[in-house]
Amino acid sequence: MRWPWIVLLLSSNVLTAIVILSMKSSVFNSSSPQRSSSASDNMLTRQLLHHPSAEKMSHTIEKFSEPILRPLSTIRTTKSQIIFAITPTYVRDTQKVDLTSLCQTIMHVQNLLWLVVEDSDMKTALVSDVLDRCKVESVQLNVYTPPGKKSISSGVDQRNLGLGWIRRYCSNQTNCTGSVYFMDDDNKYDLRLFEEIKKTQQVSVFLVGFCGGMRAEGPICNRNGRAKLWNAKWQPKRSLPIDMAGFAVRVELIVAKPNALIGVDKFGKQSKLGYLESDFLGNFVNRDMVECRGNNREVLVWHVRTQKPRIRYLPNLKRAG
Amino acid sequence: MDSINQPPYLSDPDRYDSNYHQFNVYSSHQNSRRISPRHTIIESPITVQRRTQSQLKLKKLLGRFGLLLANSSATSVYANCSIASERNSCEVASVRTMMNFDLDSSSACWTMSHTNLTITGQCSHSTESSTTTSQPSVRSIFAITPTYARYTQKVDLTSLCQMAMHVQNLVWIIVEDSSEKTDLVADLLDRCKVTSVHLNVRTPPSYRPRPGADRYKEMYSRGVKQRNLGLGWIRKHCSIVKNCTGAVYFMDDDNKYDLRLFEEIRKTENVSVFPVGFSGGLKVEGPTCNKERRAVSWHAEWGPDRPFPIDMAGFAIQVTVLLSKPDVWVGFDELGEPTQRGYLETSFLEKFTSRDAVECRGNDREVLVWHVKTQKPWILYEVNNPTDDHFEV
């Protein structure tokens, strides 16, 4: 930090000093030693940068690092249906709690690939430790969303990064069959949900508990497996009034449409609040074509949050939560 | 249970019945409207002890069951199985459960399956077992979970069940705060592959919080009666079954647990304590341990003068220690007076041990249990007009 003062002393003109200082600050920000390899070499980044709405997301793509894979030692059979579960996560008090609990749930599910995408510029030790201990096949990614530039809702960039990783992974692999599911870290899941997700043929939707101001928001199925009614009272005119955790999309559809991202609809327009899911699924199906899964009597995924813990006495910062 | 210094609430009419048979899942027709026709109960305390693997002897032993089954429409028999101590023989958990007997005629092995637990008798010398809990060399953990009806009850219990499925030899004692066993919890325990015991007892009205009262200003703690019912079950169970060892742990349904916690709990010799996250207004509340497993210092800001400034989820007690004092209950002191809020753990633990004699487990760097709550869901619509009463959320 000695540079600014030296420049001021040497330059007689204050204006030139300011210009030089502003140039220096940008150099400082990008040449930090903790950043990993540069993003431009990465094929994934190049794919994202050439996307039509890439300019809006370019501030997030620059801060990008290589994914960490934690594969299992067991060999997956070639025709098994994989569930690609994308989990965006961010730093908060209850992050470790939620991730640990989610890990315990996932350990019961076979053939699930857990993509954890952190909202940070580096991979944090907390998430790395949780994933090290967790006996689940996982991929750790990260992309930073600056607080001032958060889009409609949190986790959009992280989910898109997960989708991009899946597209890249499936372009290299031949046994890429299954579904993509957005698994938020604070939600709770019944194990029967994953059996329903594996049966997805195109896009399947299910009820989500405690969502949209109701006990359960989502489709009411008829006997043919189509959504007869939609149980939704908050913005019911959306084409698909469900939560992010209420649908699963087939991987082949995701790979076939590389321009389908969360936050933009199929015409490239930005989504409004609450329309993320409708706009994303509008790339693949209509309202009538979705497969309705789950029985109408029970809810298999709940949109809950872990309450922010009441920490009233602050001087306990040396302990990790 | 009928000691002189009985806590006053135990003389309530809606306490648990002293008849041990009442403790089980589908134990009495009167109590539970949950019974489906296929679960007709025949109570028959038959002890199954297996010392040889001959199919003939097995059939003879279970022939009595066959008669019962043939003569009635019952498909399940309530029986008590004791542990067979021989190494080569089949080993069965010593929990009294309702069981369906299927004799596999192709081999000398038999299968006992039950809605909560499947035990396969491995008559061969194989070391691995197909069940999760039939290894008596691993100490069992009795986890008492009080629960009450609320929107997030099923969420919390499902999440807890998924966690409990990873723990070996866990006996999950769920005690509902209701006058009868609800379908929600019963169905959940049916699906959940954990050895579980389903009990229920209703908190008396004077101990219930008034509607709309601030939770932090309530006079009485919650879940006291339910925890005591769980303790009573353990005491009764261990009086019937021999070699009852293990640790007792109060596992609240909204907390979150790391799986390594249960390995620490299992090693409990006397009373062990560990730090709890987000409890008592702090990030971590509890003891700081040294290498000899002694509590060097106690970190607590709320009520630091308490002899045991920890949360209910921060200690575990060995069953033999618990049984040595049959009159000690949670939430009541010697005179039968209810303890003040926040002193539940203290009043319970100081009867068994002192602050210096506890075993301090858990490392300083990580917390293995977090005292969190699931946020109350925002249900704006359907509060007064739920669309479907039979819809289970």
Side-chain angles (χ1 to χ4, degrees):
Chain A
M1 290 304 285
R2 274 175 271 151
W3 278 103
W5 298 110
I6 294 169
V7 167
L8 263 177
L9 285 171
L10 289 177
S11 70
S12 51
N13 196 345
V14 178
L15 261 173
T16 49
I18 292 169
V19 165
I20 293 166
L21 276 172
S22 61
M23 280 165 55
K24 283 282 177 212
S25 61
S26 64
V27 167
F28 273 130
N29 282 342
S30 57
S31 66
S32 167
Q34 285 124 10
R35 301 284 188 274
S36 54
S37 60
S38 78
S40 57
D41 295 334
N42 200 303
M43 189 178 81
L44 174 57
T45 331
R46 266 184 266 133
Q47 276 178 3
L48 289 171
L49 279 171
H50 289 133
H51 189 271
S53 4
E55 306 95 59
K56 291 164 192 145
M57 295 195 295
S58 58
H59 58 273
T60 60
I61 296 167
E62 280 150 21
K63 298 175 184 164
F64 181 81
S65 55
E66 286 295 318
I68 297 178
L69 280 90
R70 287 175 178 83
L72 289 176
S73 54
T74 55
I75 301 166
R76 206 187 291 125
T77 56
T78 48
K79 288 295 174 191
S80 52
Q81 302 286 325
I82 308 169
I83 301 179
F84 293 91
I86 303 177
T87 300
T89 180
Y90 63 101
V91 174
R92 60 195 189 275
D93 279 334
T94 53
Q95 183 186 24
K96 191 178 179 187
V97 184
D98 290 336
L99 285 176
T100 311
S101 175
L102 195 56
C103 166
Q104 288 162 1
T105 304
I106 292 177
M107 282 210 265
H108 290 295
V109 186
Q110 272 85 38
N111 284 331
L112 189 140
L113 184 63
W114 192 21
L115 281 89
V116 180
V117 194
E118 297 189 59
D119 183 358
S120 86
D121 47 7
M122 319 185 277
K123 292 180 170 53
T124 52
L126 191 141
V127 175
S128 297
D129 286 342
V130 169
L131 291 179
D132 280 339
R133 274 194 307 272
C134 192
K135 293 173 196 155
V136 167
E137 191 163 1
S138 64
V139 179
Q140 189 183 5
L141 306 164
N142 64 303
V143 64
Y144 180 57
T145 314
K149 301 220 170 157
K150 270 206 196 322
S151 55
I152 315 105
S153 89
S154 61
V156 166
D157 295 328
Q158 284 74 36
R159 292 188 183 105
N160 286 333
L161 188 70
L163 287 175
W165 189 93
I166 291 170
R167 285 171 177 136
R168 176 184 163 206
Y169 176 79
C170 288
S171 62
N172 294 340
Q173 299 272 327
T174 49
N175 59 340
C176 198
T177 56
S179 329
V180 173
Y181 181 60
F182 292 104
M183 202 156 79
D184 286 350
D185 55 356
D186 48 8
N187 293 351
K188 298 286 182 291
Y189 308 91
D190 194 324
L191 293 176
R192 294 171 291 172
L193 175 78
F194 300 104
E195 307 307 317
E196 299 288 326
I197 291 174
K198 282 181 183 169
K199 296 177 196 164
T200 304
Q201 276 146 24
Q202 276 195 323
V203 172
S204 61
V205 291
F206 15 84
L207 282 165
V208 179
F210 308 134
C211 206
M214 311 184 67
R215 286 185 307 161
E217 188 191 46
I220 307 287
C221 312
N222 64 2
R223 259 178 263 140
N224 297 334
R226 296 280 167 218
K228 183 174 64 170
L229 292 172
W230 289 86
N231 194 31
K233 290 220 171 82
W234 185 79
Q235 306 239 3
K237 293 196 181 155
R238 296 175 276 167
S239 66
L240 283 164
I242 40 173
D243 182 63
M244 196 60 93
F247 65 89
V249 187
R250 193 84 193 164
V251 162
E252 288 88 350
L253 288 178
I254 297 271
V255 170
K257 294 209 170 171
N259 293 338
L261 293 172
I262 306 263
V264 284
D265 63 2
K266 58 184 173 185
F267 306 113
K269 212 172 110 183
Q270 286 267 321
S271 302
K272 291 194 294 181
L273 175 69
Y275 282 78
L276 285 178
E277 300 85 9
S278 312
D279 289 342
F280 178 65
L281 290 176
N283 287 300
F284 309 110
V285 282
N286 289 335
R287 192 173 167 140
D288 315 314
M289 285 158 56
V290 291
E291 300 148 39
C292 186
R293 302 226 174 256
N295 54 3
N296 294 336
R297 295 238 160 265
E298 276 197 279
V299 162
L300 299 174
V301 52
W302 295 271
H303 182 258
V304 286
R305 301 195 96 171
T306 313
Q307 204 176 53
K308 200 170 164 189
R310 273 171 66 135
I311 298 179
R312 287 168 283 167
Y313 312 101
L314 285 176
N316 192 9
L317 299 168
K318 38 186 176 169
R319 295 280 195 104
Chain B
M1 313 298 179
D2 300 320
S3 58
I4 299 165
N5 294 325
Q6 209 183 72
Y9 77 98
L10 271 186
S11 52
D12 280 352
D14 61 337
R15 70 179 169 98
Y16 59 85
D17 196 301
S18 56
N19 183 6
Y20 181 71
H21 293 169
Q22 290 284 335
F23 281 82
N24 270 280
V25 179
Y26 306 107
S27 58
S28 86
H29 287 274
Q30 296 88 17
N31 261 358
S32 166
R33 55 191 173 119
R34 172 70 187 82
I35 296 190
S36 56
R38 61 188 173 89
H39 282 298
T40 321
I41 290 140
I42 296 174
E43 289 186 350
S44 149
I46 297 171
T47 311
V48 178
Q49 281 168 357
R50 296 190 56 263
R51 292 190 181 275
T52 65
Q53 285 97 58
S54 68
Q55 187 177 357
L56 210 61
K57 192 149 186 183
L58 267 174
K59 269 191 171 158
K60 202 171 153 186
L61 273 172
L62 297 170
R64 285 183 276 172
F65 289 113
L67 272 176
L68 285 168
L69 292 169
N71 290 342
S72 68
S73 58
T75 54
S76 52
V77 178
Y78 173 84
N80 179 21
C81 282
S82 65
I83 295 176
S85 54
E86 307 270 345
R87 202 187 305 164
N88 298 339
S89 56
C90 300
E91 288 162 351
V92 177
S94 65
V95 179
R96 289 176 66 135
T97 57
M98 222 178 68
M99 288 176 261
N100 300 322
F101 281 89
D102 289 323
L103 193 61
D104 185 8
S105 55
S106 60
S107 67
C109 296
W110 44 270
T111 310
M112 285 199 297
S113 68
H114 147 265
T115 45
N116 287 352
L117 167 74
T118 303
I119 308 163
T120 308
Q122 291 288 343
C123 291
S124 57
H125 301 286
S126 62
T127 49
E128 49 186 338
S129 165
S130 62
T131 72
T132 49
T133 61
S134 66
Q135 288 153 31
S137 57
V138 181
R139 274 194 198 162
S140 49
I141 300 177
F142 296 94
I144 302 175
T145 301
T147 180
Y148 63 103
R150 60 196 189 277
Y151 275 125
T152 51
Q153 182 186 27
K154 192 178 179 191
V155 186
D156 291 337
L157 288 178
T158 310
S159 175
L160 200 59
C161 162
Q162 288 163 2
M163 190 275 302
M165 285 208 261
H166 291 298
V167 184
Q168 271 186 2
N169 273 8
L170 179 82
V171 179
W172 191 21
I173 302 165
I174 289 198
V175 195
E176 287 193 74
D177 184 359
S178 88
S179 46
E180 43 182 28
K181 294 180 170 58
T182 53
D183 283 356
L184 191 146
V185 179
D187 287 339
L188 199 140
L189 292 180
D190 278 346
R191 280 193 304 270
C192 189
K193 295 176 193 145
V194 175
T195 311
S196 53
V197 181
H198 187 186
L199 310 169
N200 66 304
V201 67
R202 185 80 173 119
T203 318
S206 52
Y207 290 85
R208 275 181 236 159
R210 289 166 288 122
D214 185 5
R215 196 219 144 183
Y216 294 98
K217 291 185 184 154
E218 287 164 30
M219 206 157 42
Y220 299 119
S221 312
R222 298 193 294 188
V224 164
K225 189 153 180 179
Q226 285 76 34
R227 291 189 182 105
N228 284 331
L229 185 64
L231 287 178
W233 185 91
I234 292 173
R235 284 173 167 143
K236 195 89 188 202
H237 170 78
C238 289
S239 65
I240 294 174
V241 170
K242 300 171 242 174
N243 302 329
C244 194
T245 56
V248 176
Y249 181 61
F250 291 107
M251 197 159 83
D252 286 349
D253 55 356
D254 48 8
N255 292 350
K256 297 284 182 290
Y257 308 90
D258 194 322
L259 294 175
R260 295 171 288 170
L261 175 78
F262 294 98
E263 304 314 312
E264 297 289 326
I265 291 175
R266 239 185 267 279
K267 297 173 196 163
T268 302
E269 304 288 338
N270 212 14
V271 174
S272 62
V273 294
F274 13 86
V276 179
F278 306 133
S279 149
L282 288 168
K283 266 199 165 178
V284 180
E285 187 194 42
T288 314
C289 312
N290 65 359
K291 280 182 196 161
E292 287 91 40
R293 300 242 181 263
R294 289 273 165 257
V296 166
S297 65
W298 292 79
H299 189 90
E301 292 279 344
W302 188 91
D305 303 327
R306 296 178 280 167
F308 290 96
I310 42 174
D311 184 62
M312 206 69 186
F315 67 90
I317 183 167
Q318 175 69 238
V319 164
T320 44
V321 172
L322 184 73
L323 296 176
S324 64
K325 303 215 166 152
D327 300 331
V328 175
W329 303 96
V330 173
F332 289 91
D333 56 10
E334 298 92 28
L335 305 168
E337 296 293 322
T339 53
Q340 58 176 194
R341 194 177 65 82
Y343 280 75
L344 268 188
E345 304 85 13
T346 310
S347 66
F348 183 67
L349 282 179
E350 63 189 2
K351 313 248 175 56
F352 296 107
T353 183
S354 71
R355 201 165 162 160
D356 308 313
V358 290
E359 303 154 27
C360 189
R361 298 200 181 270
N363 49 6
D364 281 341
R365 263 162 276 121
E366 280 201 88
V367 164
L368 300 174
V369 52
W370 298 272
H371 182 258
V372 287
K373 280 182 86 67
T374 312
Q375 204 176 49
K376 213 171 158 185
W378 175 66
I379 295 181
L380 176 64
Y381 316 103
E382 291 193 285
V383 171
N384 294 323
N385 299 314
T387 47
D388 194 345
D389 282 335
H390 301 291
F391 189 71
E392 196 179 81
V393 183

